[in-house]
Amino acid sequence: MKSIVALLRKELLEAFRKHRLLVMITIFVLIGLMSPIGTKYLGEILKQLLPSGYVLKVREASEIEAYFQFFKNISQIGLIVLIIITSGLMADELEKRTIVNVLSKGVRREYIIVSKFISSLIVWLISYIISIVIFEYYTSLFWGNEISLSVIIYSNLLVFSYGALIISLNIFLGIMFKNKILTIVGCFIFSLLQMFIAIFPEISKLLPISLLSQCVYIIEGKMSMYETVITLVSALILILFLLVISMSLFKRKEIEQ
């Protein structure tokens, strides 16, 4: 247990020193700001810029529309940043052989995987909480809070869970390829494959990427929380599977001194 705590402290300090935490917080602060503010004023700004007589159809600004924009920004910007930030968790360590310094101290290899996953999860959690707090503050100023707290928490949990899956996938791919670029490419291919398979309705509920659309449907009242349980459970199982496989693969991997 002491080894995991020591490794966790090391990983969090590294996330701070290498500005991973700073970059994540900065991006998610911007997402938290621009989602409600953009929803509130973008339509009015576009109407001012367009020629007179031009009719622009814009969705009515509302709390639900702000959440739609928030989740879209998280999916299109936030998760891409998360992929890039966590792509070097194992890839950089193995490619640059800096992992040798840790292994030489007799640390169990599975502890390294656990500490990297938990530390990245903490960075992801801190960034996400800051973003949602800012978002909720401005949303309440503009439209009040009509959506129930349980729906807000659960819909954000779905998005957070997909981020946790990205972290576990990047750890696995980093061990596989020992290359940051290949890890990023592999992560994008994983998402694209899910998007392609998701065209089949009977399979889509099992795909973790469906969480990124289900969160919106829950906010809009088009889907109940119960209907998303299968997708959430499949994502959690895949996270656990990737971590176990990563530990097994890392234990067998030969690392040159």
Side-chain angles (χ1 to χ4, degrees):
M1 190 65 184
K2 288 182 179 180
S3 298
I4 292 181
V5 172
L7 285 170
L8 188 57
R9 189 183 299 115
K10 169 188 169 294
E11 290 296 330
L12 289 173
L13 189 60
E14 196 170 284
F16 178 77
R17 285 176 175 171
K18 292 187 175 181
H19 309 299
R20 292 200 295 259
L21 179 60
L22 178 62
V23 170
M24 284 287 291
I25 289 176
T26 302
I27 295 298
F28 278 81
V29 163
L30 291 175
I31 290 173
L33 284 170
M34 70 183 187
S35 299
I37 294 174
T39 301
K40 178 70 174 177
Y41 297 111
L42 183 60
E44 296 176 13
I45 293 170
L46 290 175
K47 286 177 183 178
Q48 294 295 324
L49 294 175
L50 290 172
S52 59
Y54 188 93
V55 179
L56 178 68
K57 292 184 179 180
V58 181
R59 290 176 59 165
E60 184 182 352
S62 64
E63 185 183 5
I64 291 176
E65 177 62 18
Y67 257 107
F68 175 80
Q69 293 299 327
F70 177 74
F71 288 136
K72 187 176 75 171
N73 290 332
I74 291 287
S75 301
Q76 295 180 354
I77 302 172
L79 288 177
I80 291 175
V81 173
L82 181 66
I83 289 171
I84 295 170
I85 288 291
T86 60
S87 61
L89 285 174
M90 290 303 298
D92 281 347
E93 294 268 25
L94 292 169
E95 189 175 15
K96 299 173 183 177
R97 299 176 188 171
T98 52
I99 198 74
V100 174
N101 297 328
V102 180
L103 294 175
S104 63
K105 297 176 182 177
V107 176
R108 294 177 63 176
R109 294 193 177 194
E110 55 264 39
Y111 288 176
I112 295 174
I113 302 296
V114 171
S115 65
K116 286 186 176 294
F117 177 73
I118 294 176
S119 62
S120 299
L121 207 61
I122 291 171
V123 170
W124 170 227
L125 179 62
I126 291 171
S127 306
Y128 200 100
I129 287 175
I130 291 173
S131 186
I132 193 65
V133 167
I134 293 171
F135 171 81
E136 279 295 326
Y137 172 75
Y138 282 97
T139 301
S140 64
L141 281 180
F142 295 148
W143 303 286
N145 294 119
E146 296 180 2
I147 301 171
S148 69
L149 183 60
S150 60
V151 169
I152 290 172
I153 292 173
Y154 187 78
S155 59
N156 281 285
L157 176 63
L158 298 184
V159 181
F160 183 81
S161 298
Y162 193 78
L165 175 59
I166 291 297
I167 295 169
S168 62
L169 178 64
N170 273 347
I171 289 173
F172 169 73
L173 293 174
I175 297 170
M176 280 279 292
F177 299 127
K178 297 192 297 184
N179 183 280
K180 193 172 182 177
I181 301 299
L182 290 177
T183 299
I184 294 172
V185 171
C187 201
F188 278 111
I189 290 174
F190 171 75
S191 297
L192 290 173
L193 283 174
Q194 287 188 90
M195 290 178 189
F196 175 76
I197 299 172
I199 62 175
F200 304 101
E202 52 285 349
I203 303 175
S204 63
K205 286 186 178 181
L206 297 173
L207 299 174
I209 201 167
S210 296
L211 295 172
L212 301 181
S213 57
Q214 289 175 352
C215 60
V216 178
Y217 297 148
I218 291 173
I219 290 290
E220 293 176 335
K222 295 178 180 178
M223 182 178 280
S224 68
M225 289 185 277
Y226 176 76
E227 291 176 278
T228 67
V229 170
I230 293 175
T231 317
L232 179 59
V233 170
S234 70
L236 296 177
I237 290 173
L238 187 53
I239 291 169
L240 184 60
F241 174 77
L242 286 170
L243 290 175
V244 170
I245 293 296
S246 297
M247 290 177 194
S248 177
L249 191 64
F250 189 42
K251 283 172 73 175
R252 297 198 307 268
K253 200 170 194 68
E254 293 185 8
I255 300 173
E256 297 178 9
Q257 300 294 322

